[in-house]
Amino acid sequence: MKNLIILTGLSGAGKSTALGLLEDMGFYCIDNLPINLVETILPVISMNVDNIAFVLDARSENFERIDEILNNLKKKYASNLKVIFLTAKDAIIINRFAHTRRNHPLLKRVNSLEKAIQLEREILTKALEFSDIVIDTSNLNPHQLREKLVEILGSVKKKFLVRILSFGFKYGLPLDVDFIFDVRFFPNPFYIKDLREKSGRDEKVKEFLYNTQGVKEYIEMIKNVVDFALKRYENEGRMELSIGIGCTGGQHRSVFFAEELASIYRQRYEVLLEHRDVK
């Protein structure tokens, strides 16, 4: 195991947003893990998973053991462990619960939201003392919270994945891509006898398309759009971008463009290249 994140803090302070980001960053995430199971489950999971994140908060029974649990984890995992505590002002939490259908998890134990928040603060006192990072989300929207966490956890991010898919429009649009670029307006090698049975990976097809007016410019245009999106995806904590390149049959032009883009982005990212409709 390389990284262990314990996420705790007040209900309504943004733990769900933070956990979603950690999942996007490649962490194996467990929400509301019973505190008595932490030391039993962790060794089993860590045998097969590098990055693990748990949410431990006042919803768990026996939460009074949090200091004991965190103390044991810090001794055992030392530099691999970070405890992140999310908090916010009472008025902000009250307002957030007013805009959601969810009730405060401790509301059944007291007769008002204000008292539930105060009770939770008392229960979480020990967790706060053991925290490595405390984030007040009172003035942060979900986007800003994600940005802050990305900045804090940047050193444990998994490598960004760029997925590139070539396809033929005649066989249907792919449903699992973020961007689709059409290359059907370039000459089709299918209509050249010597190229018809080849694919966009063949040197003769590459030479034909390299020498086609506008191809190099269009590759640069696609790159500019993708680079623009990549920067913002990374700022959001998202770790994957998928691109579809389509021509008529998915055999020549789309394959060529997909191969060219893959070559460009392999220099900086992990790239997964797939040619869906190559025969």
Side-chain angles (χ1 to χ4, degrees):
M1 180 178 62
K2 295 179 180 178
N3 299 286
L4 171 62
I5 302 293
I6 302 297
L7 189 62
T8 187
L10 297 175
S11 302
K15 295 195 298 295
S16 295
T17 298
L19 194 66
L21 171 67
L22 289 167
E23 189 170 18
D24 290 343
M25 293 174 71
F27 278 77
Y28 181 86
C29 297
I30 301 179
D31 189 12
N32 195 23
L33 180 69
I35 199 164
N36 289 336
L37 296 180
V38 173
E39 293 180 282
T40 303
I41 289 178
L42 188 54
V44 177
I45 299 175
S46 62
M47 292 174 62
N48 301 301
V49 180
D50 285 338
N51 301 313
I52 304 169
F54 294 148
V55 173
L56 302 178
D57 58 28
R59 292 173 293 173
S60 177
E61 293 184 7
N62 301 310
F63 192 78
E64 65 276 4
R65 292 189 61 222
I66 188 65
D67 55 338
E68 174 192 342
I69 298 295
L70 292 180
N71 189 49
N72 291 342
L73 292 179
K74 283 180 178 287
K75 288 179 180 178
K76 188 170 184 178
Y77 298 103
S79 60
N80 302 95
L81 172 65
K82 280 188 176 68
V83 180
I84 300 176
F85 190 100
L86 300 185
T87 186
K89 296 176 181 177
D90 288 8
I92 298 296
I93 292 177
I94 290 171
N95 185 60
R96 288 173 181 171
F97 273 103
H99 290 85
T100 180
R101 294 180 180 179
R102 294 175 56 243
N103 289 324
H104 193 285
L106 302 183
L107 191 59
K108 292 181 179 180
R109 295 171 58 177
V110 291
N111 56 13
S112 72
L113 179 55
E114 291 86 346
K115 290 182 179 180
I117 296 170
Q118 185 56 43
L119 176 60
E120 188 172 38
R121 287 192 188 278
E122 294 171 4
I123 292 173
L124 292 171
T125 300
K126 293 178 180 178
L128 180 59
E129 292 173 357
F130 274 86
S131 298
D132 302 298
I133 300 164
V134 178
I135 302 175
D136 187 336
T137 69
S138 298
N139 297 315
L140 301 178
N141 60 37
H143 172 81
Q144 292 168 327
L145 173 57
R146 289 175 70 90
E147 283 189 339
K148 191 171 187 68
L149 286 167
V150 167
E151 180 182 349
I152 292 170
L153 300 172
S155 61
V156 301
K157 286 196 302 184
K158 70 175 183 178
K159 195 170 183 180
F160 198 104
L161 173 65
V162 178
R163 177 171 169 260
I164 302 172
L165 172 73
S166 73
F167 70 94
F169 279 96
K170 68 187 289 184
Y171 301 115
L173 289 170
L175 301 178
D176 57 346
V177 294
D178 300 304
F179 292 90
I180 288 180
F181 295 97
D182 189 351
V183 295
R184 288 176 295 181
F185 48 79
F186 290 109
N188 191 348
F190 177 83
Y191 295 110
I192 299 174
K193 184 177 179 181
D194 291 342
L195 304 181
R196 178 174 299 177
E197 300 302 321
K198 302 182 186 300
S199 79
R201 292 173 291 192
D202 188 272
E203 289 301 323
K204 289 186 177 181
V205 175
K206 289 181 180 181
E207 183 180 359
F208 171 80
L209 289 169
Y210 273 133
N211 293 322
T212 298
Q213 184 179 8
V215 164
K216 293 178 182 177
E217 290 85 349
Y218 192 50
I219 290 173
E220 189 64 26
M221 290 178 185
I222 294 174
K223 180 178 176 297
N224 288 339
V225 172
V226 172
D227 285 348
F228 183 88
L230 281 169
K231 183 176 180 180
R232 282 148 184 82
Y233 274 39
E234 289 184 282
N235 288 342
E236 284 282 320
R238 182 168 170 178
M239 299 308 297
E240 180 177 331
L241 175 79
S242 54
I243 305 162
I245 309 288
C247 63
T248 304
Q251 183 78 13
H252 299 97
R253 294 163 293 180
S254 62
V255 172
F256 167 80
F257 275 88
E259 291 278 345
E260 290 298 302
L261 288 171
S263 178
I264 291 169
Y265 288 109
R266 281 195 185 104
Q267 300 172 31
R268 290 181 286 158
Y269 303 102
E270 181 181 349
V271 172
L272 178 62
L273 176 61
E274 179 185 353
H275 300 302
R276 191 190 73 179
D277 298 322
V278 172
K279 298 176 183 178

